[in-house]
Amino acid sequence: MEVLKEKVEEEEEAEREEAAERGEKMMRPLETRREEPPMTQEMLRDLEKKLSEIEIVIPEQPLIVTKDTIDISKLPLSYRSNTLKEEHLLQVADNFARQYSHLCPDRVPLFLHPLNECQVPKFVSTTIRPTLMPYPELYNWDSCAQFVSDFLSMVPLPDPLQPPSHLYSATTVLKHQKGNCFDFSTLLCSMLIGAGYDAYCVNGYGSQDLCQMDLTRDVCPLTMKHKEVVQEEEKVPPKKYAIKPPRDLSSRFEQEQKMKKQQEIKGEKEKRRKEEEQRLLELEKAKTDALHGLRVHAWVLVLSGKREVPESFFIDPLTARSYSTQDDHFLGIESLWNHKNYWVNMQDCWNGCKDLVFDLGDPVRWEYLLLGTDKAQLAVAEEEDDGMNDDEDIENLGKEDEDKSFDMPPSWVEQIEISPEAFETRCPNGKKVIQYKRAKLEKWAPYLNSNGLVCRLTTYEDLECTETLEVKEWYQHREDMLELKHINKNTGLIIDYFKPGHPQALRVHSYKSMQPEMDRVMEFYETARVDGLIKREETPKTMTEYYQGRSDFLSYRHVDFGDRVKKLALNSAESNPRPMVKITERFSRNPVKPADEDVAERVFLILEERIQLRYHCRDDHIMASKREFLRRTEVDSKGNKIIMTPDMCISFEVEPMEHTKKLLYQYEAMMKLKNEEKLSKHQAWESELEVLEILKLREEEEEAHALTISIYDTKRNEKSKEYREAMERVMHEEHLRQVEAQLDYLAPFLAQLPPGEKLTRWQAARVKDECLSDFKQRLIDKANLIQARFEKETQELQKKQQWYQENQVTLTPEDEDWYLSYCSQAMFRIRILEQRLNRHKELAPLKYLALEEKLHKDPRLVDFLKVFI
């Protein structure tokens, strides 16, 4: 037994040696195969030992979702199989891959035909389905990229060093709202090509932050402040006789010392900031990526030319951000493709993508798969070839190219469709959070939050994001037209921005507290207000208003308030207003009036009972006229009230006129100013009441935060929904009435009677008898019809049986098979007819009795048939 066992072991070892030798030879090129000496037993054992020590870890399933969650039976046939042209394309791709591996053995295998959701290999170019979305917002590249980034959730690649083994269709990715970078790129490229861009999917290598969608080192785009272009004001040439400005008597030495001190403080702060940034950079450098330059990533390339794109650029579909083709985040490109062809990069990527030339028509830099490409090849001029200009040679070359070309099969993916609900919701489950450097961005779907919040940007003071600096909140569909709320946590300042349409025409409202008589600034849409108010600034002691486009040319009003006298009242702000101390008003130039009579500034000193006027200055003057009125009441020696005296009007006139010196003119002017003072005080009081009304309205709006719903939004608009349901209910009832009218069993018999006459008892009995007799006859006719068909089938079967008996000897096997099949079908029909006839015989009496009962209960006959019962 031991000898037999040793022989068996020797035979098994010999077989293993032969198999290993055959496998090694098959792995070598044909020309290098040759006879080699057999492997010794010790070497075989050593090999088996080393092989046993090697362990492989099976990676996780690279699919987006498990196979169980995808109902393959509901997918189209193009998803579950390949056409002949697609099979031919796969063969061409395999041949291309073999040649590429032979010529470039140090390059990684090409990403050509991964499996789809049905485990069917599909060429990557056929996975792109160019589609123009029916939404105007998705017509530009930035909005398309932002939609893809918001709509899908990123799933990392199972192996960061290799492309995925599966590439799903865009329809499946949109349905499950998640995918890897290749799924993102395929969907975005399909949308961009449909929108008219020259877009390509790129398979290459990216940085760790780019592959992992890590934006914690990037600044949020919403926090970047746009540089405002400051327009330099044109200097007005100085006048010849202008007054020289007074000499500056301040110490230059003190100013220089002050500036020097400020620069030192600023430099110290800048130094500390740079040291902190340098420290953070050193920490980041210490955390070097061990897989730098090896991480596989997919993105989109948009070439210049189409859609007026001036320069080629990259789009990262995960973040929707655009990059230059020389950006450091992109470390190399293996291949790229669109819906027409596939190109392999033959350029060196030692310097990333900075030195790459994206001229796809250059076969030296980009090796193409198919000849039928829309990218024209570079023309190579050969001086020796003089016959290239011949028309016949050109035609022959064209025919050869046509013979060798192979067009890309159409996409196997169904039409990409995005429902209006999905387009509005965008983010998966309606919410998405993105973490930036010192900032966090949160997005919500419209109507998901009851207050209309759709976006929130929180900026922090530290990198750990623990100390909040400011918060910006964006709103949509608010009834109060609130669009943006900016909250500064350090100062406590809150700024509300409104769209046009607010009941009080508010545009901007900045405040720290909603309590009245506090620091606040209100800006308005002047075209929506009758008084032309643009801006109102309020403090506990002052209120300033700015106007534009008024008929009285008022442009500015400033009111100073005094201390309020304490009174017992429920609402102190309304019943006990603040006393006004001073009112300053400024007016724009009225071209109708002379400058000496057009008031530029008017000051009402209420407590001092004085009114000061300053007029506009004429263009040819350097000084303006001034006038001051005293409103004090004086009494003469006899006790009479003195209304007007020359001392009560102090004036300075550049060009004195006679009529202005008369007391009557001055008296009329002072009486007019008194009335205008009352009017100004009343308008200031109305402004205070308006502020209180606005604050009360804003508190109610913040508590209610009601949202507007379009009349076309039938799902959210309750009134529209109720109206639609009522209309559908009415239409359904009308349809039922029409059906009942069509099935009215008395209608043919009642139509024979004279129209408009009431039924008599005799007529009712006659209608009933005729209806029953007609129904009885129809039952009999139906039975006779079934019987006739039964007899016909029986006779035909007998004829066939007789024919078979007569020709049984000469029949072929095919004829016999046909006869047996006919007999089987005929017997089936006969049995069915027999069952129908028997069932009809059983149900006919029941149907007759049911109709008779209905006739007795019919409201048109019930009153007349009671006598006969």
Side-chain angles (χ1 to χ4, degrees):
M1 293 295 294
E2 293 180 357
V3 175
L4 181 61
K5 186 176 181 180
E6 291 178 356
K7 290 183 178 180
V8 172
E9 291 179 355
E10 290 177 359
E11 291 177 357
E12 291 177 354
E13 289 178 1
E15 290 178 358
R16 284 197 296 269
E17 290 176 2
E18 293 178 359
E21 185 176 357
R22 286 196 302 270
E24 185 177 358
K25 290 183 178 180
M26 291 299 295
M27 294 298 291
R28 296 179 180 178
L30 294 175
E31 62 270 19
T32 59
R33 296 182 186 175
R34 61 181 182 273
E35 295 294 333
E36 294 184 359
M39 187 179 295
T40 60
Q41 188 173 2
E42 294 181 358
M43 293 176 62
L44 180 61
R45 290 176 180 175
D46 184 53
L47 177 61
E48 291 178 351
K49 182 179 179 182
K50 290 182 179 179
L51 292 176
S52 62
E53 293 177 355
I54 299 175
E55 296 181 358
I56 59 172
V57 179
I58 300 176
E60 297 180 358
Q61 187 71 8
L63 301 179
I64 301 172
V65 290
T66 59
K67 185 178 178 181
D68 299 335
T69 60
I70 300 178
D71 190 359
I72 300 178
S73 61
K74 294 183 178 180
L75 294 177
L77 182 62
S78 60
Y79 286 59
R80 293 179 275 116
S81 61
N82 285 324
T83 62
L84 295 177
K85 196 170 185 179
E86 288 178 331
E87 292 290 347
H88 186 192
L89 177 62
L90 295 179
Q91 296 176 4
V92 172
D94 290 337
N95 184 26
F96 181 82
R98 286 193 295 269
Q99 296 181 32
Y100 174 78
S101 301
H102 177 70
L103 296 174
C104 307
D106 56 338
R107 296 280 293 271
V108 298
L110 295 176
F111 184 68
L112 291 172
H113 43 73
L115 302 178
N116 68 348
E117 51 264 47
C118 298
Q119 310 299 319
V120 178
K122 295 287 186 178
F123 192 69
V124 289
S125 295
T126 60
T127 309
I128 297 177
R129 178 62 185 266
T131 306
L132 177 61
M133 295 300 169
Y135 306 102
E137 296 87 350
L138 299 182
Y139 187 62
N140 296 323
W141 70 266
D142 50 352
S143 56
C144 288
Q146 192 62 52
F147 172 80
V148 173
S149 176
D150 292 342
F151 193 78
L152 303 180
S153 297
M154 194 272 286
V155 177
L157 293 174
D159 187 356
L161 305 182
Q162 294 181 0
S165 59
H166 291 70
L167 184 62
Y168 277 15
S169 63
T171 55
T172 303
V173 173
L174 287 172
K175 181 180 179 181
H176 295 88
Q177 284 191 271
K178 55 184 176 181
N180 53 44
C181 55
F182 285 83
D183 300 316
F184 275 69
S185 302
T186 302
L187 175 59
L188 179 57
C189 190
S190 301
M191 295 172 63
L192 293 180
I193 295 176
Y197 288 95
D198 192 10
Y200 303 83
C201 288
V202 182
N203 172 28
Y205 305 94
S207 62
Q208 184 179 7
D209 295 344
L210 194 69
C211 297
Q212 297 179 356
M213 197 181 171
D214 186 6
L215 300 175
T216 55
R217 300 182 186 179
D218 298 340
V219 180
C220 180
L222 296 177
T223 59
M224 297 180 182
K225 296 181 180 180
H226 300 284
K227 294 183 179 180
E228 298 181 356
V229 180
V230 180
Q231 296 182 353
E232 297 182 357
E233 297 181 357
E234 296 182 0
K235 295 182 179 180
V236 180
K239 295 182 180 180
K240 184 177 181 180
Y241 299 103
I243 299 176
K244 294 182 180 181
R247 294 182 62 184
D248 186 10
L249 301 178
S250 59
S251 175
R252 294 183 180 178
F253 176 76
E254 291 179 355
Q255 292 180 358
E256 291 176 358
Q257 292 297 321
K258 187 177 180 180
M259 291 291 295
K260 188 176 180 180
K261 189 175 182 180
Q262 291 178 356
Q263 290 178 358
E264 288 178 356
I265 295 173
K266 186 177 180 180
E268 189 175 350
K269 290 182 179 179
E270 187 70 17
K271 184 179 179 181
R272 286 199 298 266
R273 186 183 64 83
K274 289 183 178 180
E275 290 178 354
E276 181 67 17
E277 290 181 356
Q278 187 66 24
R279 185 181 65 84
L280 294 175
L281 287 174
E282 291 178 357
L283 290 176
E284 291 178 358
K285 289 180 180 179
K287 301 176 183 178
T288 55
D289 184 17
L291 303 178
H292 182 74
L294 302 176
R295 295 182 181 272
V296 176
H297 189 60
W299 63 91
V300 175
L301 166 66
V302 179
L303 293 182
S304 59
K306 292 185 178 180
R307 286 295 304 272
E308 299 181 358
V309 176
E311 186 179 359
S312 303
F313 61 94
F314 293 147
I315 302 176
D316 181 25
L318 301 181
T319 60
R321 301 182 69 175
S322 62
Y323 297 88
S324 170
T325 54
Q326 299 181 356
D327 195 272
D328 295 333
H329 286 89
F330 304 92
L331 306 177
I333 294 178
E334 287 289 345
S335 60
L336 55 87
W337 62 91
N338 63 358
H339 63 298
K340 293 183 178 180
N341 210 339
Y342 187 95
W343 291 268
V344 180
N345 179 29
M346 306 304 294
Q347 304 172 70
D348 193 358
C349 296
W350 68 273
N351 196 21
C353 299
K354 296 180 180 180
D355 300 331
L356 297 185
V357 178
F358 294 97
D359 182 9
L360 302 184
D362 186 358
V364 177
R365 294 186 174 94
W366 297 94
E367 185 68 34
Y368 54 85
L369 175 67
L370 302 180
L371 287 175
T373 173
D374 56 347
K375 296 293 178 184
Q377 296 184 9
L378 293 178
V380 180
E382 296 182 0
E383 298 179 356
E384 299 178 359
D385 191 2
D386 298 329
M388 292 298 292
N389 295 327
D390 191 10
D391 296 338
E392 295 180 358
D393 295 342
I394 293 175
E395 291 179 0
N396 294 333
L397 288 173
K399 291 180 180 179
E400 292 179 2
D401 292 341
E402 290 178 0
D403 295 337
K404 295 180 180 179
S405 63
F406 177 77
D407 295 334
M408 185 70 65
S411 177
W412 55 273
V413 182
E414 279 191 325
Q415 183 74 21
I416 300 175
E417 296 180 355
I418 301 174
S419 63
E421 294 80 7
F423 177 72
E424 183 180 304
T425 305
R426 293 211 175 191
C427 307
N429 300 323
K431 183 180 179 181
K432 196 165 191 177
V433 181
I434 304 175
Q435 192 73 35
Y436 290 96
K437 183 179 181 180
R438 294 191 178 95
K440 181 175 69 172
L441 182 64
E442 301 170 89
K443 296 181 180 180
W444 291 272
Y447 297 104
L448 184 64
N449 295 321
S450 59
N451 60 350
L453 181 64
V454 295
C455 184
R456 178 190 290 144
L457 175 63
T458 307
T459 55
Y460 301 91
E461 196 170 356
D462 55 339
L463 291 173
E464 290 77 14
C465 298
T466 57
E467 299 180 5
T468 305
L469 190 61
E470 62 179 16
V471 178
K472 288 184 179 180
E473 296 178 346
W474 284 265
Y475 298 86
Q476 286 184 4
H477 309 293
R478 290 275 295 235
E479 281 190 357
D480 57 0
M481 298 298 170
L482 180 63
E483 185 177 20
L484 171 62
K485 184 185 288 290
H486 185 187
I487 305 172
N488 193 320
K489 294 295 184 178
N490 290 341
T491 61
L493 181 64
I494 303 174
I495 305 177
D496 295 339
Y497 297 87
F498 299 85
K499 295 188 293 184
H502 190 269
Q504 296 292 341
L506 266 179
R507 189 171 66 90
V508 181
H509 182 204
S510 58
Y511 57 95
K512 292 184 178 179
S513 173
M514 294 296 288
Q515 296 297 326
E517 301 177 8
M518 300 293 290
D519 293 340
R520 72 182 68 258
V521 177
M522 295 182 181
E523 297 181 17
F524 303 88
Y525 291 97
E526 67 277 3
T527 56
R529 291 183 64 97
V530 180
D531 56 357
L533 181 62
I534 300 176
K535 185 178 180 181
R536 178 183 288 131
E537 299 176 354
E538 187 181 10
T539 65
K541 292 294 184 180
T542 62
M543 183 174 64
T544 307
E545 295 176 336
Y546 301 88
Y547 298 90
Q548 182 179 356
R550 285 176 63 106
S551 58
D552 57 357
F553 297 93
L554 178 65
S555 60
Y556 172 86
R557 178 185 287 130
H558 179 82
V559 183
D560 291 329
F561 298 98
D563 296 332
R564 179 184 283 108
V565 179
K566 293 184 178 181
K567 291 183 179 180
L568 296 175
L570 296 176
N571 193 341
S572 60
E574 294 183 4
S575 61
N576 187 18
R578 294 175 291 178
M580 300 179 192
V581 177
K582 180 181 176 181
I583 300 177
T584 304
E585 295 177 343
R586 294 172 185 168
F587 299 86
S588 301
R589 181 73 174 90
N590 187 359
V592 179
K593 294 182 179 181
D596 295 337
E597 297 179 5
D598 190 12
V599 178
E601 185 179 58
R602 185 169 62 190
V603 181
F604 298 104
L605 301 172
I606 299 173
L607 296 182
E608 300 178 9
E609 295 185 347
R610 288 191 301 160
I611 303 175
Q612 297 176 351
L613 300 178
R614 180 175 60 82
Y615 295 89
H616 284 278
C617 183
R618 287 171 53 174
D619 295 337
D620 55 346
H621 290 176
I622 60 175
M623 297 184 67
S625 301
K626 297 181 181 180
R627 186 172 284 115
E628 182 177 355
F629 292 91
L630 304 177
R631 293 192 300 107
R632 64 178 181 271
T633 304
E634 294 185 356
V635 181
D636 57 7
S637 58
K638 295 182 180 182
N640 299 324
K641 185 186 294 185
I642 300 175
I643 299 176
M644 190 68 189
T645 62
D647 297 338
M648 296 176 66
C649 178
I650 304 171
S651 63
F652 167 78
E653 298 181 17
V654 179
E655 291 185 358
M657 291 176 285
E658 291 296 331
H659 71 278
T660 58
K661 296 180 180 180
K662 296 180 181 180
L663 289 177
L664 179 60
Y665 173 81
Q666 297 175 0
Y667 172 76
E668 291 176 352
M670 188 174 68
M671 290 297 105
K672 184 179 179 181
L673 290 172
K674 284 184 178 181
N675 295 331
E676 291 178 350
E677 180 182 351
K678 292 179 182 179
L679 180 60
S680 298
K681 291 172 66 176
H682 181 72
Q683 291 176 352
W685 176 72
E686 286 182 344
S687 298
E688 287 189 274
L689 293 182
E690 185 182 7
V691 171
L692 296 177
E693 183 181 353
I694 292 175
L695 295 179
K696 184 178 180 181
L697 178 62
R698 287 294 303 129
E699 289 179 354
E700 294 175 355
E701 290 171 346
E702 288 295 334
E703 291 178 1
H705 48 72
L707 303 180
T708 59
I709 300 175
S710 174
I711 59 174
Y712 302 104
D713 191 352
T714 56
K715 291 189 176 181
R716 297 189 181 94
N717 197 319
E718 295 296 334
K719 294 182 180 179
S720 177
K721 186 177 180 180
E722 293 175 0
Y723 178 75
R724 187 181 72 256
E725 291 177 352
M727 291 296 296
E728 291 177 354
R729 187 164 54 252
V730 171
M731 292 177 62
H732 180 66
E733 293 175 357
E734 182 66 23
H735 177 69
L736 292 178
R737 282 196 296 269
Q738 293 178 359
V739 171
E740 290 178 359
Q742 294 175 358
L743 300 178
D744 188 5
Y745 36 83
L746 289 178
F749 307 100
L750 294 176
Q752 301 176 6
L753 301 177
E757 294 185 3
K758 294 184 179 180
L759 285 175
T760 62
R761 295 179 182 177
W762 178 82
Q763 289 175 340
R766 180 184 173 187
V767 167
K768 172 199 168 188
D769 294 340
E770 290 180 354
C771 182
L772 289 175
S773 62
D774 182 76
F775 183 68
K776 179 180 177 182
Q777 186 63 36
R778 283 192 287 113
L779 292 176
I780 295 172
D781 293 343
K782 185 177 181 180
N784 292 332
L785 180 62
I786 297 174
Q787 179 68 24
R789 291 179 178 175
F790 176 82
E791 292 176 356
K792 182 179 180 181
E793 289 290 340
T794 305
Q795 292 176 2
E796 290 181 356
L797 179 61
Q798 291 176 357
K799 290 180 181 180
K800 292 296 181 182
Q801 290 176 350
Q802 184 179 0
W803 171 81
Y804 177 74
Q805 292 177 359
E806 293 176 356
N807 303 296
Q808 184 176 6
V809 179
T810 60
L811 291 179
T812 61
E814 290 80 5
D815 295 337
E816 290 183 356
D817 293 340
W818 175 83
Y819 171 74
L820 294 176
S821 175
Y822 173 80
C823 292
S824 175
Q825 295 177 3
M827 291 301 299
F828 173 75
R829 290 193 296 269
I830 290 172
R831 284 195 296 269
I832 293 298
L833 290 172
E834 183 182 5
Q835 293 177 3
R836 290 182 61 187
L837 182 60
N838 294 333
R839 181 173 177 79
H840 181 69
K841 291 179 180 180
E842 294 175 0
L843 297 179
L846 300 178
K847 291 180 179 180
Y848 183 84
L849 295 176
L851 178 61
E852 186 177 11
E853 186 177 357
K854 284 184 179 181
L855 292 176
H856 281 292
K857 294 181 180 181
D858 192 282
R860 294 167 290 183
L861 305 177
V862 64
D863 295 334
F864 303 103
L865 298 180
K866 288 181 180 179
V867 181
F868 298 98
I869 295 176

